[in-house]
Amino acid sequence: MVSGIIREAMVEIINFVSKAIDMISDKEKDNMIETLIDAYKRGARVLVMGAGRSGLVGKAFAMRLLHMGFQVYVLGETIIPRIRKDDIVIAISGSGRTKLIVTAAEAAKAVGAKIIAITSYPDSPLAELSDIIVRIPGRTKIAEEEDYFTRQILGIHESLAPLGTLFEDTVMVFLDGVVAELMNKLGKTEEDLRNEHANIEL
Amino acid sequence: MVSGIIREAMVEIINFVSKAIDMISDKEKDNMIETLIDAYKRGARVLVMGAGRSGLVGKAFAMRLLHMGFQVYVLGETIIPRIRKDDIVIAISGSGRTKLIVTAAEAAKAVGAKIIAITSYPDSPLAELSDIIVRIPGRTKIAEEEDYFTRQILGIHESLAPLGTLFEDTVMVFLDGVVAELMNKLGKTEEDLRNEHANIEL
Amino acid sequence: MVSGIIREAMVEIINFVSKAIDMISDKEKDNMIETLIDAYKRGARVLVMGAGRSGLVGKAFAMRLLHMGFQVYVLGETIIPRIRKDDIVIAISGSGRTKLIVTAAEAAKAVGAKIIAITSYPDSPLAELSDIIVRIPGRTKIAEEEDYFTRQILGIHESLAPLGTLFEDTVMVFLDGVVAELMNKLGKTEEDLRNEHANIEL
Amino acid sequence: MVSGIIREAMVEIINFVSKAIDMISDKEKDNMIETLIDAYKRGARVLVMGAGRSGLVGKAFAMRLLHMGFQVYVLGETIIPRIRKDDIVIAISGSGRTKLIVTAAEAAKAVGAKIIAITSYPDSPLAELSDIIVRIPGRTKIAEEEDYFTRQILGIHESLAPLGTLFEDTVMVFLDGVVAELMNKLGKTEEDLRNEHANIEL
C-alpha cells in the first residue's frame, strides 16, 4: 500500500476522472461513437493527432482502433496517406490551441474530412472548426505559447503537479471506455477477434 | 454524464486503479524513488523502455523526468547514448517477458546499469534480472508470443476489453504519482521551475 | 568547391555507388520490381523494415511507395497492421544478421508473406529465409553484436569513416532508382499524380 | 549490372552529387565544421531538424554526431531538452520555407541559439534568420504549401522523379563527408573510439 504524497496524487487523479464521468456529455460521446462506427463501415480513414502527452494518449487509442479493424493513422509517423472527403480526424488538445494540431485540422477540414475535437475548451480555435466536440475536463491553464515544438525548445511545459496531467489521464480512461463501447456496437467479442486471427492468419 | 457501456468500463478502470493503490508496495516504490533521486544527483542517464502501450506510458513519464531536469532517454528513439555503469533503466512490461525489453535490459545490466522493472510478474525473466521490482497489478494473461514486433506482424494483441488495459492505465497513474513525489523530494515547486525558465531562458 | 577531407570522402562515396551500379544484379532488381508491381496491383501490404540508418533509408523509400499509391507500412511505427499471406516485406540489413529484423522477417514468413532482403551478404540468416535477395555492396565488416538495441545501449556502431556508410548510401540511391523504374512500369507520370490530386482531392 | 531506367536514374543522381562537390562553398562548410567543433568542446546541445525525407537525412547525421560524443537531439522525438543560448540548431530544408522548421528555428534563435541552415535557397525565410548558411543544390521547385503536415494530409509531395530527391541525396553524402572531416579535426580515429568502448564500457 503506497502512502504519502504519491498516494494523495493517485487519489486526486482517480477522483478527478470519477467526476469527469458525470461531466462528459452522453450526447457528445454518442456523436463520436456513431461517427466512428460509420467510418468503420465505410472503410474511411481515421487520422489521430495530438502533441506531446496528448499525442501519446492518441497513439494508445489508435492502436486499439487498428486492432478492431479500422483504417487508422497517427500524425507525425512516417506513413500518413492523403486525407479525403468524409475521412475522420480525431484531434486531441486540452487547450484547443496547439498550433500544429489546429493547422493540421484545418487542412483536413479543407478537403472535407470530419473533425472530432477532444478538448477542455469548446470555444477554442480547434473546437470551432470541428464537426464534433467532446469536452473532457482537465486542462485548467492555457499555455501562452501555442506552438508545440516552440514550447519544447523553450522548455515550457504544463504543470508537473498531478493537476497538469488530469486532461491526459482522463482522456486515456475515456478512450478506453470508447473502445469497450465500440466493441459492443460493432458486435465484436474478444473471442471473435481471437478466432478470426487463429483461423485466417496463423 | 456518460452512461451505458462506456460508463461501466470507465468505472471498472477507476475501481481497479483505486485498489491498486493499496496493492502497490510502499517499499518497492521507495526503492524506485530513491534510485531516481540518486540518479538525478549524480547526473546518471535514465533509459525508459517498454513495447506498445507500455512504451507510450513510459514516454509520458520520460517527458516529465526531462522537465524535472533528468538526463533521460527512451528506447526506440533515434538518439540513445551508451548506457554506462550505474546508469538507470526503467523497463515497463506487464508480463515481464517481452523479448525486446528483456534483451535490452540484459545488455544494460551487463554494463553495470541498475534495472528497475515495472511489471505484474515478480518471477518473470525481466523481474529476475532487475535490481528493483515495482509490482503493478493489471496484466492477467501472459501473451504466448513474447516478441513485440512478431505480435504486431501476426496481429496478436492484449484483450480489448478494459481488462486488457488495466496494467497500462494503472502504471500511468502510478508514474504520475511518482512525479509528484519526486518534485517534493527534489524540493522543486512549479514556481521554481517556472522562475528558472523565466530567468535563464526566456 | 569543397576541398580536403570532405571532398575525398564525398568522392569515395560517389565512386563506390558508381561501381555498385555495375555490381547489382539486373535479375535480382527485376525480381524486386516485379514483386512490387504485383503487390501494387493486388493491393497487398508492403512492410519496410531496417534498424538504425538502414531503417531511415527504408522510411525514405516507404514515403515514395506511399506517394505512388502502395499500401505501405514501416516497422517500429505505432500503426502496423497484421501481415497476411502474400503480403510483401522489404528487409534492409547490410549484415543480414540484425536480430530484430531477422526475427520480424521470420514471423512474416511464417504467415506466408514474401520477403525481399536487401543485404550485402547472400548467405546471411536474413538472406537465407528470404524469397528474393538483392545484393547491395557496402557492408564490409559484420558487427559482432547482432541485436540493434543492445548495440545502441553498448555504444557499438558501424565505422564512422565513409566506409561505414557505403551500404546505406548505396541503398538510398538504388531505391531512388527503383522508384523511377516503378513509376515508369506503373505508367505513372508526375503529371498524372499531380492531376489525380488536383481533381479528386483539392 | 543494372540497366535501363534504374541505371539512368542512379547515374543521374551520382552525376548531380559529383557536380555538387564543386558547387558547395568551402567557406560555408568551414563555418559549419568550426561551429560544430566549438559546440563539441563546449558541450553545447545540437538540435537537428528537418521535415519528411530531409528529417530522415538529419537523423542519420545526428546518429553519427552521437557516436562522436556530441550532445545531440532530433526535433520530433519524445525527448528534446530546452535549447539555450549558444546551443546549435542544424535546420535542413531544401526550400527553406517549411513552416514547421522555420517556426522552430525562430524559437531557437529567440533564446540565442546559433542556427545553421542547410538549404538550396539562400534568400529563403530559413536562410535569412540563420547565422550560417550551407547552400546545397538540388531543390529546383518550391512546393507552394509550406506546412509539412498539411502537405501530408493533402497528399502533396516533391517530384517522384530522381530530380525530386537530389537535395536529400546530396545532403546525405555531404553530411557523411562532414562526419569524416569532424573525425579528423577532433583527432578521433576509429581505433580510438573502439578502444574507448572496449576499455571503459564492455
Side-chain angles (χ1 to χ4, degrees), chain A residues 114-147:
Chain A
K114 211 167 184 173
I115 318 292
I116 302 175
I118 299 184
T119 179
S120 298
Y121 289 88
D123 55 353
S124 60
L126 175 63
E128 271 164 24
L129 69 82
S130 296
D131 300 279
I132 292 169
I133 301 169
V134 182
R135 276 170 299 169
I136 303 285
R139 177 85 346 121
T140 50
K141 191 192 125 279
I142 293 182
E144 279 160 50
E145 174 50 53
E146 294 167 4
D147 184 76

Side-chain angles (χ1 to χ4, degrees), chain A residues 200-201, chain B residues 153-154, chain C residues 35 39 42 44-49 81-91 104-117 129-132:
Chain A
I200 306 176
E201 305 303 315
Chain B
I153 285 167
L154 302 183
Chain C
T35 302
R42 289 185 292 113
R45 291 170 181 166
V46 179
L47 177 64
V48 179
M49 49 171 79
R82 257 182 314 162
I83 296 306
R84 304 155 305 186
K85 192 166 170 346
D86 298 326
D87 282 342
I88 307 298
V89 167
I90 301 176
E106 277 169 354
K109 192 180 176 65
V111 294
K114 211 166 182 172
I115 318 291
I116 302 174
L129 69 82
S130 295
D131 299 280
I132 292 170

Side-chain angles (χ1 to χ4, degrees), chain D residues 114-132:
Chain D
K114 211 166 183 174
I115 318 293
I116 301 174
I118 297 183
T119 180
S120 298
Y121 289 89
D123 53 353
S124 61
L126 175 62
E128 271 165 23
L129 70 81
S130 295
D131 300 280
I132 292 169

Side-chain angles (χ1 to χ4, degrees), chain A residues 57 168-176, chain B residues 53 57 169 172:
Chain A
V57 169
E168 289 92 350
D169 291 341
T170 307
V171 173
M172 183 144 173
V173 176
F174 169 72
L175 291 176
D176 279 338
Chain B
R53 286 170 60 106
V57 169
D169 290 341
M172 184 142 172

Side-chain angles (χ1 to χ4, degrees), chain B:
Chain B
M1 177 176 127
V2 290
S3 60
I5 292 166
I6 191 171
R7 184 181 192 88
E8 285 166 37
M10 291 180 77
V11 168
E12 188 178 339
I13 293 168
I14 287 167
N15 286 346
F16 186 89
V17 180
S18 262
K19 273 179 218 145
I21 297 178
D22 290 337
M23 294 168 70
I24 300 168
S25 154
D26 224 21
K27 201 178 155 222
E28 290 176 3
K29 180 268 296 173
D30 284 345
N31 283 343
M32 176 175 176
I33 297 267
E34 278 156 30
T35 301
L36 284 173
I37 288 173
D38 181 57
Y40 178 85
K41 289 183 178 160
R42 289 185 293 114
R45 291 170 181 166
V46 179
L47 178 64
V48 179
M49 49 171 79
R53 286 170 60 106
S54 291
L56 295 172
V57 169
K59 280 184 178 176
F61 182 55
M63 282 185 187
R64 292 317 204 175
L65 292 181
L66 177 78
H67 297 158
M68 283 189 281
F70 282 82
Q71 295 285 326
V72 63
Y73 301 91
V74 176
L75 196 74
E77 306 252 297
T78 306
I79 297 300
I80 311 284
R82 257 182 312 161
I83 297 305
R84 304 156 306 187
K85 192 164 171 345
D86 298 326
D87 282 341
I88 308 298
V89 167
I90 300 176
I92 307 173
S93 168
S95 70
R97 297 179 176 281
T98 313
K99 238 190 237 171
L100 188 71
I101 302 307
V102 174
T103 303
E106 276 169 353
K109 192 179 175 64
V111 294
K114 210 166 183 174
I115 318 293
I116 301 175
I118 297 184
T119 180
S120 297
Y121 288 89
D123 54 354
S124 60
L126 175 63
E128 271 165 23
L129 70 82
S130 294
D131 300 278
I132 292 171
I133 301 169
V134 182
R135 276 170 298 170
I136 304 284
R139 177 87 345 123
T140 49
K141 189 191 125 279
I142 293 182
E144 279 161 50
E145 174 49 54
E146 294 167 4
D147 184 76
Y148 179 70
F149 289 124
T150 298
R151 287 212 305 264
Q152 275 195 314
I153 285 167
L154 302 183
I156 299 169
H157 49 76
E158 299 300 327
S159 166
L160 282 161
L163 220 70
T165 68
L166 292 176
F167 176 73
E168 289 92 350
D169 290 341
T170 308
V171 172
M172 184 142 172
V173 176
F174 170 72
L175 291 176
D176 278 339
V178 167
V179 168
E181 186 156 331
L182 280 173
M183 282 187 67
N184 180 274
K185 291 271 166 60
L186 292 171
K188 298 208 168 193
T189 64
E190 291 284 326
E191 203 53 44
D192 285 339
L193 291 171
R194 229 176 295 266
N195 283 339
E196 198 185 315
H197 286 162
N199 297 343
I200 305 177
E201 305 303 315
L202 298 180

